[in-house]
């Protein structure tokens, strides 16, 4: 009996000692991030039979249990991903909103209004060279401001790409560390309380970058860790590598991919979420939106001014030249097309009509026989072809060399507009102050009449027939200079060295009168330029040029306000999830102090059992 008593006391002491050790471990790690409280689960030893009676044999340690709630931890990981995405989204909008509110940006509408003021002053004295130079100076400021802001926004795209590379690198590091944790768990049967804390801490950090799903493997072979919508980053003792590959067709829009063995598999980023999702959204959505809107503003302004320049006469009596670079210059029509690096296609994108011009990205695809266009809103439709060109939303996509079967290209009509606008006029005398359109013009249709070259013929009229099928050219006295021709003309019309174009849209009986005789003090064309300040010739007649800028600022402000509210909501959700996890897994010092006293008393009492067993044993020996 003495030996039984000694064994019972020994096991009791050891159990109390392990409870004290575990309690001390909890207290020591009270401030350790990610630590989960541990507790000793003790069990009763199997009893023994003596003389028909059952006697208890003490206690033993079943296991050391980790306080943990899988659902609370999963909820925390999800809320962490959501908060990281919304927080970074808000920060990105702060950066872009800051660019729009910068001094350089605010100078854009200020300089545009200053340009209109300069045009107004020039209209009062069209021959004044000083006033003419001020108009060109204000025009240069507009183009320079747009160029600078475009470049500042474009650089944010480079920053986003760099942050994306760093994020992918950190995800791979976390994947390697999680793989190593799995390997350590597989070396011994466990339980792996402290390793599990480390594992969950790594998963929590990973969930900041992307959506994470963790599933246990059978036979205690660790865990599988999936990111996004099910892409395996860690599988037991093996880890895949996340990488970035060139986009198709835009190589600069690098895509996510997994390196699995010797192969690389591109993965979708639609459900990636977290910081990586915010980075991709910044690069692929927010920055292009700003560049597109600024580009539309620049194109709309330059095109309108250039058009009016060609509708008037300069100080020397010549037809005016473009004040800004042509929106359909050789470089511009090429820059609007983004094709793959190996593409043999040759396309040019011309902006023929400003009013229906849309921002965003079009996708043009060829199936071997037909072309299909996917608009920025996502609508896919068969392409409308005219003279080997695709016509859509005021664009004319000229196809010089067909795409390969199955190939697709991106069309970005306004993406680089703000970066490409330049002052093209360096001679103040070439500002077209005088309008060549005489007051006797009677045009009720939508046809556009433009003088291309001023020759010997200075005054004439272009008259559309009563049935609208022909046109003729006469002098101001009604003498026929060009016999009736089919309307509309297919090319430039030249009469006595003077060339003009006339588009379709004229009504029967419309009359266009031109006066190419220089008139000192003529300012009719300048007065037309002043109307551009209030002319709603963008967004299908809904917006002026400056409206585009103000709408852009308003939209960015609304997006930032919404993002701030969503961030606050997700922060509260994350804090609530953290509290739920802390309720289950957190260390309470008051509780641990009470446990320390309880287990200490148990240890001392168990020691007395061992002492009693020892004294009993000595007494038995003394009887001999």
């Amino acid at each position: 009996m003495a030996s039984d008593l000694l064994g019972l006391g020994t096991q009791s002491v050891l159990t109390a000692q392990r409870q004290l050790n575990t309690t001390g471990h909890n207290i020591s790690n009270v401030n350790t991030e990610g630590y989960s409280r541990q507790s000793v689960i003790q069990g009763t030893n199997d009893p023994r039979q003596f003389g028909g009676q059952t006697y208890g044999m003490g206690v033993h340690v079943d296991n050391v249990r980790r306080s943990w709630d899988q659902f609370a931890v999963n909820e925390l990981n999800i809320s962490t991903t959501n908060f990281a995405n919304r927080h970074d989204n808000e920060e990105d909008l702060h950066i872009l909103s800051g660019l729009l509110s910068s001094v350089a940006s605010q100078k854009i509408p200020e300089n545009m209004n200053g340009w209109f003021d300069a045009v107004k002053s020039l209209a009062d004295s069209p021959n004044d060279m000083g006033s003419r130079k001020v108009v060109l100076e204000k025009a240069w400021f507009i183009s320079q401001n747009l160029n600078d802001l475009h470049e500042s926004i474009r650089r944010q795209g480079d920053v986003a790409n760099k942050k994306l590379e760093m994020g992918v690198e950190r995800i791979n590091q976390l994947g390697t560390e999680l793989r190593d944790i799995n390997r350590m768990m597989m070396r011994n049967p466990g339980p792996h309380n402290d390793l599990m804390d480390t594992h969950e801490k790594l998963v929590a950090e990973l969930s900041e970058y992307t959506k994470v799903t963790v599933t246990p493997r059978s036979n205690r072979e660790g865990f599988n860790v999936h990111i996004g919508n099910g892409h395996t980053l860690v599988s037991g003792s093996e880890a895949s590598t996340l990488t970035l590959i060139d986009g198709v067709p835009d190589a600069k829009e690098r895509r996510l991919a997994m390196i699995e063995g010797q192969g690389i598999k591109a993965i979708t980023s639609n459900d990636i979420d977290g910081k990586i999702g915010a980075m991709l959204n910044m690069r692929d959505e927010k920055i292009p939106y700003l560049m597109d809107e600024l580009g539309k503003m620049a194109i709309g302004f330059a095109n309108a001014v250039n058009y009016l320049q060609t509708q008037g006469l300069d100080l020397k009596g010549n037809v005016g030249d473009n004040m800004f670079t042509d929106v359909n210059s050789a470089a511009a029509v090429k820059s609007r097309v983004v094709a793959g690096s190996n593409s043999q296609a040759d396309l040019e994108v011309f902006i023929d009509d400003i009013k229906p011009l849309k921002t965003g990205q079009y996708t043009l695809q060829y199936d071997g026989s037909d072309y299909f266009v996917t608009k920025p809103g996502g609508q896919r439709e068969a392409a409308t072809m005219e003279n080997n060109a695709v016509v859509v939303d005021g664009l004319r996509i000229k196809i010089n060399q067909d795409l390969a079967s199955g190939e697709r290209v991106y069309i970005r009509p306004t993406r680089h507009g703000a970066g490409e606008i330049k002052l093209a006029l360096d001679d103040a005398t070439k500002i077209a102050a005088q309008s060549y359109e005489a007051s006797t013009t009677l045009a009720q249709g939508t046809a556009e009449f433009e003088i291309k070259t001023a020759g010997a013929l200075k005054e004439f009229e272009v008259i559309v027939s009563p049935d609208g099928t022909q046109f003729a050219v006469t002098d101001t006295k009604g003498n026929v200079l060009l016999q009736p021709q089919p309307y509309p003309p297919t090319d430039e019309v030249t009469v006595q060295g003077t060339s003009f174009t006339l588009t379709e849209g004229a009504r029967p009986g419309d009359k266009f009168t031109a006066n190419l005789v220089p008139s000192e003090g003529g300012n009719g064309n300048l007065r037309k330029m002043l109307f551009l300040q209030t002319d709603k010739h963008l967004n299908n007649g809904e917006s002026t040029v400056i409206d585009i800028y103000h709408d852009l600022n308003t939209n960015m402000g609304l997006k930032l306000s919404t993002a701030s509210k969503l961030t606050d909501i997700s922060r509260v959700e994350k804090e609530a999830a953290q509290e739920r996890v802390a309720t289950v897994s957190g260390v309470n010092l008051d509780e641990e102090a009470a446990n320390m006293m309880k287990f200490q008393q148990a240890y001392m009492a168990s020691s007395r059992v061992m002492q009693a067993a020892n004294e009993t044993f000595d007494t038995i020996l003394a009887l001999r």
Side-chain angles (χ1 to χ4, degrees):
M1 290 296 295
S3 61
D4 291 342
L5 187 62
L6 181 61
L8 189 149
T10 301
Q11 287 186 320
S12 182
V13 166
L14 291 174
T15 299
Q17 183 182 24
R18 288 165 184 163
Q19 289 172 327
L20 285 170
N21 288 341
T22 302
T23 302
H25 186 54
N26 288 339
I27 294 173
S28 299
N29 287 281
V30 64
N31 293 317
T32 301
E33 183 182 356
Y35 176 78
S36 298
R37 180 171 58 87
Q38 298 176 15
S39 55
V40 174
I41 305 304
Q42 61 186 46
T44 304
N45 288 336
D46 294 335
R48 290 186 182 180
Q49 296 286 336
F50 290 102
Q53 301 295 322
T54 300
Y55 296 91
M57 297 306 296
V59 70
H60 68 277
V61 174
D62 272 342
N63 61 69
V64 179
R65 184 174 63 190
R66 175 172 169 263
S67 298
W68 176 71
D69 185 336
Q70 177 181 353
F71 297 103
V73 171
N74 289 343
E75 184 181 2
L76 176 58
N77 289 337
I78 292 172
S79 61
T80 297
T81 304
N82 192 34
F83 173 70
N85 179 268
R86 291 180 174 178
H87 178 268
D88 281 19
N89 180 56
E90 181 187 8
E91 289 297 315
D92 292 338
L93 287 171
H94 264 299
I95 293 172
L96 297 180
S97 183
L99 288 175
L100 286 178
S101 60
S102 65
V103 175
S105 175
Q106 291 177 345
K107 285 288 184 180
I108 292 174
E110 180 181 326
N111 285 327
M112 279 192 174
N113 289 324
W115 183 83
F116 285 113
D117 290 341
V119 170
K120 184 177 180 180
S121 297
L122 180 59
D124 294 335
S125 52
N127 295 336
D128 182 54
M129 286 302 299
S131 297
R132 286 175 170 265
K133 290 180 180 179
V134 171
V135 171
L136 291 187
E137 182 185 29
K138 295 294 184 181
W140 181 85
F141 278 126
I142 292 171
S143 64
Q144 191 62 40
N145 284 153
L146 286 168
N147 293 164
D148 292 345
L149 185 56
H150 172 86
E151 181 60 20
S152 297
I153 297 172
R154 188 203 62 78
R155 281 198 296 266
Q156 289 301 318
D158 295 338
V159 172
N161 267 325
K162 186 62 178 178
K163 289 172 65 177
L164 189 59
E165 291 176 2
M166 296 172 64
V168 168
E169 181 181 354
R170 182 54 185 156
I171 287 175
N172 289 329
Q173 292 173 350
L174 291 170
T176 301
E177 293 177 33
L178 287 167
R179 178 204 64 188
D180 293 342
I181 293 292
N182 281 346
R183 290 178 178 179
M184 293 173 66
M185 290 181 182
M186 293 166 64
R187 289 174 187 165
N188 58 76
H192 310 99
N193 294 331
D194 292 331
L195 286 178
M196 281 301 301
D197 284 344
T198 304
H199 185 275
E200 285 188 3
K201 183 179 178 181
L202 294 173
V203 170
E205 183 179 353
L206 181 62
S207 66
E208 293 182 5
Y209 288 93
T210 176
K211 179 181 176 182
V212 181
T213 305
V214 180
T215 57
R217 292 168 61 89
S218 60
N219 301 321
R220 296 184 178 181
E221 293 181 354
F223 297 86
N224 291 336
V225 179
H226 309 279
I227 62 174
N229 58 0
H231 310 295
T232 303
L233 179 66
V234 179
S235 178
S237 60
E238 300 298 329
S240 300
T241 301
L242 189 65
T243 188
L244 292 169
I245 60 175
D246 289 345
V248 178
D250 187 356
K252 293 181 179 179
E253 280 190 0
R254 305 190 71 194
R255 300 180 298 160
L256 296 174
M258 279 286 188
I259 299 177
E260 297 177 346
Q262 300 299 316
I264 298 179
K265 180 184 72 174
I267 63 175
T268 177
S269 58
N270 294 338
D271 200 30
I272 207 73
D273 213 346
K275 290 178 176 289
I276 297 296
M279 296 172 194
L280 290 170
N281 186 265
M282 174 70 162
R283 186 195 68 182
D284 300 338
E285 300 292 337
K286 297 185 182 68
I287 291 174
Y289 167 72
L290 256 65
M291 294 173 70
D292 284 343
E293 290 295 323
L294 287 171
K296 181 165 66 173
M297 180 174 67
I299 290 172
F301 180 69
N303 183 73
V305 174
N306 286 347
Y307 173 74
L308 286 179
Q309 272 287 113
T310 63
Q311 299 300 295
L313 303 177
D314 63 18
L315 199 58
K316 298 177 181 178
N318 299 318
V319 177
D321 294 332
N322 286 341
M323 184 173 293
F324 297 99
T325 47
D326 186 1
V327 297
N328 288 323
S329 66
V333 297
K334 290 290 187 181
S335 70
R336 294 169 185 147
V337 182
V338 180
S341 57
N342 297 323
S343 176
Q344 300 298 315
D346 182 12
L347 286 79
E348 296 174 322
V349 179
F350 295 85
I351 298 175
D352 288 341
D353 190 357
I354 290 292
K355 277 191 175 182
L357 181 63
K358 290 182 173 63
T359 57
Q361 176 175 277
Y362 294 78
T363 301
L364 181 66
Q365 191 163 20
Y366 186 57
D367 66 359
S369 59
D370 297 308
Y371 281 93
F372 294 87
V373 175
T374 303
K375 295 185 176 182
Q379 311 96 318
R380 189 173 188 267
E381 58 187 40
T384 302
M385 302 293 294
E386 294 181 8
N387 300 322
N388 204 38
V390 175
V391 179
V392 57
D393 295 339
L395 303 177
R396 177 167 50 90
I397 307 171
K398 185 179 179 183
I399 303 173
N400 300 318
Q401 175 64 45
D402 279 324
L403 279 67
S405 180
E407 184 182 0
R408 62 190 175 97
V409 297
Y410 291 151
I411 307 298
R412 296 166 177 167
T414 65
R415 185 68 50 88
H416 305 291
E420 291 172 344
I421 184 174
K422 306 289 182 185
L423 182 64
L425 205 62
D426 57 3
D427 185 353
T429 64
K430 292 184 177 181
I431 295 177
Q434 176 185 339
S435 175
Y436 60 65
E437 184 178 297
S439 59
T440 54
T441 293
L442 179 62
Q444 297 179 333
T446 59
E448 293 183 357
F449 172 65
E450 293 185 31
I451 300 294
K452 295 299 183 181
T453 306
L457 183 62
K458 299 297 183 182
E459 295 181 83
F460 62 95
E461 292 180 344
V462 179
I463 303 173
V464 179
S465 64
D467 61 2
T469 62
Q470 293 181 313
F471 75 97
V473 179
T474 68
D475 60 19
T476 55
K477 297 179 180 180
N479 299 316
V480 177
L481 303 177
L482 179 68
Q483 292 297 323
Q485 303 288 322
Y487 175 78
T490 58
D491 204 349
E492 288 186 9
V493 179
T494 302
V495 180
Q496 297 180 18
T498 297
S499 299
F500 66 87
T501 60
L502 181 62
T503 66
E504 60 182 353
R507 290 187 179 183
D510 275 359
K511 180 175 67 173
F512 304 89
T513 305
N515 181 2
L516 304 181
V517 179
S519 174
E520 186 174 349
N523 65 356
N525 210 39
L526 293 175
R527 285 186 279 115
K528 290 181 182 180
M529 289 185 184
L530 288 175
F531 288 127
L532 294 179
Q533 192 169 17
T534 56
D535 182 27
K536 297 185 176 183
H537 63 282
L538 295 173
N539 292 338
N540 286 314
E542 295 180 358
S543 303
T544 66
V545 171
I546 297 180
D547 283 344
I548 298 291
Y549 177 84
H550 291 314
D551 290 346
L552 180 59
N553 275 272
T554 300
N555 290 339
M556 288 302 295
L558 290 173
K559 288 182 179 181
L560 179 57
S561 176
T562 301
S564 298
K565 293 176 182 177
L566 292 175
T567 300
D568 291 339
I569 293 171
S570 60
R571 180 183 291 108
V572 172
E573 292 174 346
K574 181 183 178 182
E575 290 173 350
Q578 288 174 326
E579 289 179 3
R580 281 190 285 272
V581 170
T583 300
V584 176
S585 302
V587 176
N588 186 313
L589 286 179
D590 292 337
E591 182 181 352
E592 297 302 327
N595 286 339
M596 181 67 73
M597 295 176 62
K598 179 174 67 175
F599 298 143
Q600 185 179 15
Q601 290 175 350
Y603 184 91
M604 295 174 63
S606 299
S607 299
R608 290 293 301 162
V609 173
M610 292 179 64
Q611 184 179 359
N614 186 57
E615 291 174 354
T616 301
F617 192 72
D618 288 342
T619 301
I620 292 173
L621 292 177
L623 292 176
R624 295 184 179 181

Short mmCIF file of all heavy atoms in Angstrom, two decimals, residues 106-124:
data_model
loop_
_atom_site.label_atom_id
_atom_site.label_comp_id
_atom_site.label_asym_id
_atom_site.label_seq_id
_atom_site.Cartn_x
_atom_site.Cartn_y
_atom_site.Cartn_z
N GLN A 106 -4.83 72.21 -60.23
CA GLN A 106 -5.77 73.33 -60.12
C GLN A 106 -5.48 74.43 -61.13
O GLN A 106 -6.35 75.25 -61.43
CB GLN A 106 -5.73 73.89 -58.70
CG GLN A 106 -6.31 72.94 -57.65
CD GLN A 106 -6.20 73.49 -56.25
OE1 GLN A 106 -5.46 74.44 -56.00
NE2 GLN A 106 -6.92 72.89 -55.32
N LYS A 107 -4.26 74.43 -61.67
CA LYS A 107 -3.91 75.42 -62.68
C LYS A 107 -4.59 75.13 -64.03
O LYS A 107 -4.68 76.01 -64.88
CB LYS A 107 -2.38 75.44 -62.88
CG LYS A 107 -1.60 76.14 -61.78
CD LYS A 107 -1.81 77.65 -61.82
CE LYS A 107 -0.96 78.35 -60.78
NZ LYS A 107 -1.15 79.82 -60.81
N ILE A 108 -5.05 73.87 -64.22
CA ILE A 108 -5.63 73.52 -65.52
C ILE A 108 -6.88 74.33 -65.82
O ILE A 108 -6.94 75.02 -66.84
CB ILE A 108 -5.91 71.99 -65.58
CG1 ILE A 108 -4.58 71.22 -65.58
CG2 ILE A 108 -6.72 71.64 -66.82
CD1 ILE A 108 -4.74 69.73 -65.49
N PRO A 109 -7.92 74.30 -64.97
CA PRO A 109 -9.09 75.14 -65.27
C PRO A 109 -8.76 76.63 -65.20
O PRO A 109 -9.34 77.43 -65.94
CB PRO A 109 -10.11 74.73 -64.20
CG PRO A 109 -9.30 74.17 -63.08
CD PRO A 109 -8.12 73.52 -63.73
N GLU A 110 -7.83 76.99 -64.31
CA GLU A 110 -7.45 78.39 -64.20
C GLU A 110 -6.82 78.88 -65.50
O GLU A 110 -7.15 79.98 -66.00
CB GLU A 110 -6.46 78.55 -63.04
CG GLU A 110 -5.99 79.98 -62.83
CD GLU A 110 -4.99 80.07 -61.68
OE1 GLU A 110 -5.13 79.31 -60.70
OE2 GLU A 110 -4.06 80.90 -61.78
N ASN A 111 -5.93 78.06 -66.09
CA ASN A 111 -5.28 78.46 -67.34
C ASN A 111 -6.25 78.39 -68.52
O ASN A 111 -6.13 79.18 -69.46
CB ASN A 111 -4.06 77.58 -67.61
CG ASN A 111 -2.89 77.94 -66.71
OD1 ASN A 111 -2.70 79.10 -66.36
ND2 ASN A 111 -2.10 76.95 -66.33
N MET A 112 -7.20 77.45 -68.49
CA MET A 112 -8.20 77.41 -69.56
C MET A 112 -9.05 78.67 -69.54
O MET A 112 -9.29 79.28 -70.59
CB MET A 112 -9.07 76.17 -69.40
CG MET A 112 -8.45 74.89 -69.93
SD MET A 112 -9.63 73.54 -70.03
CE MET A 112 -8.62 72.30 -70.84
N ASN A 113 -9.51 79.05 -68.36
CA ASN A 113 -10.28 80.30 -68.27
C ASN A 113 -9.42 81.50 -68.64
O ASN A 113 -9.91 82.46 -69.25
CB ASN A 113 -10.84 80.45 -66.86
CG ASN A 113 -11.96 79.47 -66.55
OD1 ASN A 113 -12.76 79.16 -67.43
ND2 ASN A 113 -12.02 78.99 -65.32
N GLY A 114 -8.13 81.43 -68.28
CA GLY A 114 -7.21 82.50 -68.67
C GLY A 114 -7.05 82.58 -70.17
O GLY A 114 -6.92 83.68 -70.75
N TRP A 115 -7.06 81.40 -70.84
CA TRP A 115 -6.94 81.38 -72.30
C TRP A 115 -8.17 82.03 -72.92
O TRP A 115 -8.06 82.83 -73.87
CB TRP A 115 -6.79 79.94 -72.78
CG TRP A 115 -6.59 79.82 -74.26
CD1 TRP A 115 -5.41 79.94 -74.93
CD2 TRP A 115 -7.59 79.56 -75.25
NE1 TRP A 115 -5.62 79.78 -76.29
CE2 TRP A 115 -6.96 79.54 -76.51
CE3 TRP A 115 -8.96 79.34 -75.18
CZ2 TRP A 115 -7.63 79.30 -77.69
CZ3 TRP A 115 -9.66 79.12 -76.36
CH2 TRP A 115 -9.00 79.09 -77.60
N PHE A 116 -9.35 81.71 -72.42
CA PHE A 116 -10.56 82.33 -72.95
C PHE A 116 -10.55 83.84 -72.72
O PHE A 116 -11.01 84.62 -73.58
CB PHE A 116 -11.80 81.70 -72.32
CG PHE A 116 -12.12 80.32 -72.84
CD1 PHE A 116 -12.02 79.22 -72.02
CD2 PHE A 116 -12.49 80.15 -74.16
CE1 PHE A 116 -12.30 77.95 -72.50
CE2 PHE A 116 -12.78 78.88 -74.66
CZ PHE A 116 -12.68 77.78 -73.83
N ASP A 117 -10.03 84.28 -71.57
CA ASP A 117 -9.92 85.73 -71.31
C ASP A 117 -8.98 86.37 -72.31
O ASP A 117 -9.23 87.50 -72.80
CB ASP A 117 -9.42 85.97 -69.88
CG ASP A 117 -10.45 85.60 -68.83
OD1 ASP A 117 -11.65 85.50 -69.17
OD2 ASP A 117 -10.06 85.38 -67.66
N ALA A 118 -7.88 85.64 -72.63
CA ALA A 118 -6.92 86.18 -73.60
C ALA A 118 -7.54 86.26 -75.00
O ALA A 118 -7.29 87.22 -75.74
CB ALA A 118 -5.67 85.32 -73.62
N VAL A 119 -8.34 85.26 -75.36
CA VAL A 119 -9.02 85.28 -76.65
C VAL A 119 -10.01 86.45 -76.71
O VAL A 119 -10.14 87.13 -77.74
CB VAL A 119 -9.75 83.93 -76.90
CG1 VAL A 119 -10.66 84.03 -78.13
CG2 VAL A 119 -8.74 82.80 -77.08
N LYS A 120 -10.69 86.68 -75.59
CA LYS A 120 -11.62 87.80 -75.53
C LYS A 120 -10.90 89.13 -75.74
O LYS A 120 -11.38 90.02 -76.46
CB LYS A 120 -12.36 87.80 -74.20
CG LYS A 120 -13.43 88.86 -74.08
CD LYS A 120 -14.16 88.76 -72.74
CE LYS A 120 -15.24 89.83 -72.63
NZ LYS A 120 -15.96 89.76 -71.33
N SER A 121 -9.73 89.26 -75.10
CA SER A 121 -8.95 90.50 -75.27
C SER A 121 -8.47 90.64 -76.71
O SER A 121 -8.46 91.75 -77.27
CB SER A 121 -7.74 90.48 -74.32
OG SER A 121 -8.17 90.46 -72.97
N LEU A 122 -8.08 89.52 -77.32
CA LEU A 122 -7.62 89.58 -78.71
C LEU A 122 -8.76 89.93 -79.65
O LEU A 122 -8.55 90.62 -80.65
CB LEU A 122 -7.01 88.23 -79.09
CG LEU A 122 -6.48 88.11 -80.54
CD1 LEU A 122 -5.40 89.16 -80.81
CD2 LEU A 122 -5.93 86.70 -80.80
N ALA A 123 -9.99 89.48 -79.31
CA ALA A 123 -11.14 89.81 -80.16
C ALA A 123 -11.39 91.31 -80.20
O ALA A 123 -11.92 91.84 -81.20
CB ALA A 123 -12.38 89.08 -79.65
N ASP A 124 -11.00 92.00 -79.14
CA ASP A 124 -11.18 93.46 -79.12
C ASP A 124 -10.16 94.17 -80.01
O ASP A 124 -10.43 95.28 -80.50
CB ASP A 124 -11.04 93.98 -77.68
CG ASP A 124 -12.17 93.48 -76.78
OD1 ASP A 124 -13.25 93.17 -77.33
OD2 ASP A 124 -11.97 93.39 -75.57
#
